[in-house]
Amino acid sequence: MKIIGGPSSQALACRVAAGLNIKPTITDFIRFPDNEQYVQIKEDVTDEEVVLIQSTASDSDLVALLQLLDACESAKMVTVVIPYMGYARQDKKFKDGEAISARAMARAVTAHNLNKVYTINLHEKNILNYFSCPAEDLDASQLIAEYAAGLGLKRPLLIAPDKGVRNMVENMAAGMNLDWDVFDKTRLAGDHVVMADKKMDVEGRDVIIVDDMIATGGTMAEAVGILEKNGAHDVYVACIHPVLTRNAVLRLSNAGVKDIIATDTIEKVQSRISAAPIIIEALKK
Ligand code: R5P
């Protein structure tokens, strides 16, 4: 088996390869003077089983994934792992004339002959149906729960910032025997959310708010404000996908967040938890 990490998921690919006792395949990525991308797989993949790992947090990451897929044409079998799939939040038409962006991405990826696609904590599971090959969504939330349980927090409480991640947070709490609660969020604009004020039993407790992703940090900042008003001790924010766009890091720190905890589905300094174990487990299956 060859493990090929794309430009956005090099560290994660190395962790997966190490867990399978394989050296990651060397791949080169450069840009031409006009800024177009170029990829080259430095080993022959003819008749090999290939696992391609590449998050698509940016447009250029998606292009690199498509290029790598093309470069794997002679492989016997190609499995693609998209740890963070960009454009997944536009999973349906909200207004007439809109593209279903998640479907467009899935179609582009499965224009190639693939064995299987794995994603991790997709924003909406129905996106799996847009891939024309078998597709499975892996769950990294328990890795965060285990990490949180090891932090030695004071009467910890897990919080879901909205109903979309209610089940995920409930399962995380059940797995580690932690308390949990949920907020009620309404999004008014891309970077503006409001949260219904809610009395919670947070006085003097350490709290971890967990979401599938943190983008602008608006959701988390709003939740932190309410928790602080209610007398929470330390407030941590955690997510599977640290998109952390614009000034999210500054915004969260300014809101009083003690730390940002995230996985390496997107490789950032905050990505202290690796999703490699769940990928390895899926590949071994
Ligand atoms: C939305 O439904 C997602 O689960 C996240 O809550 C959202 O994407 C976070 O975005 P932001 O950090 O911009 O509030």
Side-chain angles (χ1 to χ4, degrees), residues 89 123 162 185 187 190 211-219:
R89 280 174 288 180
H123 190 59
D162 60 38
K185 173 182 99 178
R187 183 171 290 282
D211 210 342
D212 59 341
M213 70 180 81
I214 304 175
T216 64
T219 300

Side-chain angles (χ1 to χ4, degrees), residues 120-164:
I120 298 179
N121 293 89
L122 257 184
H123 190 59
E124 291 293 342
K125 293 270 186 286
N126 65 321
I127 295 168
L128 293 175
N129 300 323
Y130 295 145
F131 292 99
S132 57
C133 67
E136 183 180 337
D137 191 43
L138 307 175
D139 182 11
S141 63
Q142 215 50 47
L143 299 171
I144 293 184
E146 282 162 23
Y147 182 89
L151 286 175
L153 302 182
K154 208 168 149 190
R155 294 171 57 225
L157 175 72
L158 295 188
I159 294 199
D162 60 38
K163 289 190 219 85

